[in-house]
């Protein structure tokens, strides 16, 4: 079974997708983490977002591994080393949407995501899972929330993770990424026609999980 969970940043998508996967005993595949890993490597190799051919060549020879743990967060390995923390740094967040809009990069990630998802029952979270990666997914969700609430949540998350960013910076980041992600030419962020929209603005994580699970089991 494939469960697709899409939506913009800060809507609670990743948290919900991870909990659902744990509860069902499914593999959790965080596709955003893959784009973040590629972005990290591009910075390390000093390849700019405009140098598409080089980036694509780099992505082709990159090994990205996802390791699920029983109750903790997902671990992301970039060419064999644990990059779970580094990929969440603001310098990655600032750049990731410009890398993720490149067609050749998306094609490579798509292949990897399909390969992983076909191995086992999986929950995938991202922007284009229900529309492009697994258009025939068994269940599709589009997790959304008001812009202001998404900013508030992401800011709180970053502060708790020890990243001293201002709410204004978070607001700018989300606005910028929402725009790039939803207007790009290939696989833009949008709700699949047959996805169930869940507005999480006034819901707790537990309530969202319960709602999503009831649709899955129903
Ligand atoms: O956690 P957050 O919502 O901040 O972002 P993420 O899920 O880690 O994704 C980071 C970025 O990767 C997004 O802003 C998109 O530009 C890109 N992405 C994408 O293009 N397609 C996906 N399936 C997942 C992420």
């Amino acid at each position: 079974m494939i469960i697709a969970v899409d939506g913009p940043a800060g809507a609670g998508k990743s948290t919900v997708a991870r909990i659902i996967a744990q509860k069902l005993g499914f593999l959790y595949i965080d596709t955003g983490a893959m784009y973040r890993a590629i972005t990290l490597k591009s910075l390390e190799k000093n390849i700019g977002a405009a140098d598409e051919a080089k980036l694509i060549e780099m992505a082709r020879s990159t090994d990205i591994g996802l390791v699920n743990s029983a109750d903790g967060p997902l671990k992301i390995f970039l060419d064999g080393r644990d990059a779970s923390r580094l990929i969440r740094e603001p310098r990655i967040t600032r750049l990731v949407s410009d890398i993720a809009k490149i067609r050749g990069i998306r094609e490579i990630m798509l292949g990897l995501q399909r390969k992983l998802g076909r191995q086992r029952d999986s929950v995938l979270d991202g922007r284009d899972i229900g529309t492009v990666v697994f258009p025939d997914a068994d269940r599709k969700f589009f997790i959304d929330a008001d812009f202001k609430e998404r900013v508030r949540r992401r800011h709180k998350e970053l502060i708790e993770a020890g990243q001293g960013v201002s709410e204004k910076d978070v607001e700018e980041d989300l606005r910028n990424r929402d725009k790039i992600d939803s207007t790009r030419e290939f696989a833009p962020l949008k709700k699949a026609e047959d996805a169930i929209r869940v507005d999480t603005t006034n819901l707790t994580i537990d309530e969202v999980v319960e709602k999503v699970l009831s649709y899955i089991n129903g």
Side-chain angles (χ1 to χ4, degrees), residues 71-176:
D71 48 2
L74 177 83
K75 284 202 161 158
I76 293 89
F77 288 85
L78 173 60
D79 294 323
R81 76 194 153 96
D82 187 349
S84 314
R85 282 173 66 97
L86 281 178
I87 61 163
R88 306 284 163 201
E89 288 186 354
R91 64 193 174 112
I92 308 297
T93 307
R94 266 197 297 277
L95 189 62
V96 62
S97 290
D98 284 322
I99 303 278
K101 71 181 185 198
I102 301 168
R103 180 189 202 142
I105 296 287
R106 300 204 71 81
E107 280 168 356
I108 296 166
M109 296 298 109
L110 180 87
L112 191 58
Q113 290 156 13
R114 285 191 179 148
K115 192 169 140 202
L116 284 172
R118 283 186 184 133
Q119 284 171 3
R120 270 180 57 187
D121 289 331
S122 303
V123 180
L124 291 96
D125 98 57
R127 303 290 189 284
D128 60 340
I129 309 303
T131 50
V132 174
V133 183
F134 283 107
D136 53 354
D138 301 274
R139 298 282 189 278
K140 296 183 186 177
F141 298 94
F142 193 85
I143 310 282
D144 207 352
D146 286 355
F147 182 72
K148 268 203 164 150
E149 177 62 13
R150 294 197 282 118
V151 171
R152 196 190 64 77
R153 287 181 193 166
R154 182 48 56 93
H155 182 241
K156 183 166 173 263
E157 227 172 82
L158 291 171
I159 294 291
E160 281 169 6
Q163 295 185 14
V165 287
S166 71
E167 198 159 318
K168 196 166 162 289
D169 285 347
V170 175
E171 188 180 327
E172 253 179 59
D173 166 54
L174 291 201
R175 185 167 290 124
N176 180 42

Side-chain angles (χ1 to χ4, degrees), residues 153 200 202-209:
R153 287 181 193 166
T200 70
N202 297 304
L203 300 178
T204 64
I205 301 256
D206 285 350
E207 286 169 337
V208 181
V209 168

